[in-house]
Amino acid sequence: MRPVQLDLEGFTVFRELVSIDFRDTEYFALTGPTGVGKSSILDAICFALYGQVPRWEDARTRGEYALLPSANRGWIQLLFDVGGERYLVVRELRRSKAGVKTTSRLEKLVDPIAGVDGETIPVEHDSGVTPAIERVVGLEFSHFTTCVLLP
């Protein structure tokens, strides 16, 4: 799995829209003072893919940790490549009186060169997104977080 572009808003510490383009990046390092969101960027990639983050152990409160405390809505969009194919996963969080609800979708782009503007084929929605990601990426959450994203 190779990230192409990460967009997020209302996620953890990111109040405003943040876009990170990885297209021309072979290697990168996240640097900066404590509290600026370095770990949150890695959390966003993991949450986009799997709907959870390794340091958020309690499954009942994952949405509460993900959504910026002052926001009623947040979202993460990750464009990524696997084996010559390009995919887009989107997870949206909405706060209500009952808590934070997450909706998800995974799409396969028909023309990988076209990026987010290309035609898409819906792959899965909501509860089926994480299992579909596991099939596409070839790693379950526990393997991804021990082999790719080290907590």
Side-chain angles (χ1 to χ4, degrees):
M1 190 286 297
R2 181 175 180 83
V4 175
Q5 183 165 331
L6 175 68
D7 301 303
L8 53 110
E9 182 176 17
F11 182 82
T12 63
V13 299
F14 297 103
R15 180 180 312 278
E16 303 295 322
L17 174 64
V18 172
S19 293
I20 302 169
D21 190 339
F22 296 100
R23 283 178 180 87
D24 296 324
T25 305
E26 288 296 318
Y27 301 99
F28 65 91
L30 300 173
T31 63
T34 301
V36 296
K38 300 178 300 293
S39 296
S40 292
I41 291 169
L42 299 176
D43 291 347
I45 291 172
C46 194
F47 191 82
L49 293 171
Y50 296 99
Q52 58 182 317
V53 173
R55 62 186 178 142
W56 303 341
E57 294 177 9
D58 187 351
R60 295 168 296 169
T61 58
R62 286 184 192 133
E64 295 294 332
Y65 290 136
L67 189 58
L68 182 73
S70 62
N72 289 322
R73 178 186 175 270
W75 59 273
I76 302 163
Q77 174 175 289
L78 178 65
L79 188 66
F80 65 98
D81 293 343
V82 173
E85 304 287 342
R86 183 158 288 174
Y87 295 87
L88 176 69
V89 61
V90 179
R91 296 205 190 244
E92 181 179 15
L93 302 122
R94 288 196 180 266
R95 188 179 317 277
S96 70
K97 291 179 182 176
V100 176
K101 181 178 180 347
T102 303
T103 56
S104 311
R105 78 174 192 274
L106 175 65
E107 299 173 348
K108 180 178 177 183
L109 300 181
V110 175
D111 182 358
I113 295 172
V116 271
D117 296 324
E119 292 182 61
T120 62
I121 300 170
V123 175
E124 197 57 70
H125 284 86
D126 292 330
S127 64
V129 169
T130 299
I133 291 281
E134 290 173 347
R135 287 189 300 277
V136 167
V137 174
L139 294 170
E140 296 175 3
F141 173 74
S142 62
H143 296 138
F144 183 81
T145 56
T146 56
C147 299
V148 179
L149 183 69
L150 305 175

